[in-house]
Amino acid sequence: MKIAVFCGSSPGKNNLYREAADQLGRFLAEQGHVLVYGGGRTGLMGQVADSTLAAGGDVVGVMPIALTEKEIQHPHLSELHIVADMHERKAKMAQLADAFIAMPGGVGTMEEIFEAWTWAQLGYHHKPCCFLNVNHYYDGLFTFIDTMISQGFMRPEYGEMAQISDDPAQLLAMIESYTPPSDKW
């Protein structure tokens, strides 16, 4: 399976985030899965790629040309797709991936996983969207999702589409057993 991972281009302030990226990368490689990610060498992005590669796994990067010109691309990827812009990056990652995992990250990470989740909700794809909840990073988000549901802005089945766990093995089990709800429209 090809699994897209969205995560921070910075490492965050807590070493637990780097450790989780290392664990996820090793786990993906050990399970024979391919990492699809943004192609960078910095932060959690670089850590998950390095760990996947060190464990013998394949890593596919997708990077807009403007970022390659800043020399932040990872130099040892199995495959690197250079695309025109961020819109094309997300589309290419969605095309390549069988599932999506968001690790801790900033607004870019949120935008990427939310777009993948929205596309799933609309029936554009039927791929699972997951959150690796390292150090309770996504607790507040899921409280807010409960508010969206309780206030009538999201159906419960679409809130349940997002899988969450602090354990990569459990997330992979969720991905493998995922059954999407019927299309919104």
Side-chain angles (χ1 to χ4, degrees):
M1 215 179 338
K2 290 182 178 177
I3 300 178
V5 174
F6 305 125
C7 57
S9 60
S10 86
K13 291 185 175 182
N14 191 320
N15 199 43
L16 289 173
Y17 302 128
R18 291 180 61 89
E19 291 170 9
D22 183 60
Q23 181 185 16
L24 179 60
R26 281 184 286 115
F27 184 75
L28 291 175
E30 290 165 1
Q31 298 301 309
H33 300 299
V34 175
L35 169 66
V36 176
Y37 86 120
R41 64 180 174 169
T42 62
L44 297 185
M45 289 176 58
Q47 186 68 48
V48 72
D50 287 342
S51 299
T52 304
L53 291 166
D58 289 325
V59 178
V60 177
V62 182
M63 182 172 276
I65 193 152
L67 295 180
T68 64
E69 293 168 355
K70 295 179 183 187
E71 300 181 27
I72 62 169
Q73 72 196 44
H74 196 290
H76 304 294
L77 302 179
S78 309
E79 190 177 325
L80 178 63
H81 297 267
I82 305 297
V83 295
D85 54 34
M86 293 298 285
H87 295 291
E88 196 174 319
R89 175 198 226 175
K90 290 181 294 180
K92 184 66 172 178
M93 289 178 74
Q95 174 197 3
L96 292 170
D98 299 305
F100 306 93
I101 296 175
M103 290 194 62
V107 70
T109 300
M110 295 297 93
E111 191 268 339
E112 289 168 325
I113 193 66
F114 281 180
E115 185 163 298
W117 187 5
T118 300
W119 290 351
Q121 179 179 316
L122 294 172
Y124 294 173
H125 68 73
H126 293 81
K127 303 171 186 181
C129 297
C130 305
F131 292 79
L132 186 58
N133 195 23
V134 180
N135 196 32
H136 304 281
Y137 190 79
Y138 287 114
D139 287 356
L141 174 64
F142 276 78
T143 298
F144 182 64
I145 290 165
D146 289 341
T147 300
M148 285 187 228
I149 293 167
S150 71
Q151 297 301 309
F153 290 100
M154 178 183 278
R155 292 186 195 166
E157 61 267 27
Y158 298 130
E160 293 168 7
M161 289 175 83
Q163 310 289 303
I164 185 168
S165 177
D166 62 357
D167 177 22
Q170 186 177 26
L171 272 187
L172 185 59
M174 291 172 174
I175 287 169
E176 291 170 350
S177 65
Y178 178 73
T179 302
S182 59
D183 291 347
K184 181 174 183 171
W185 309 113

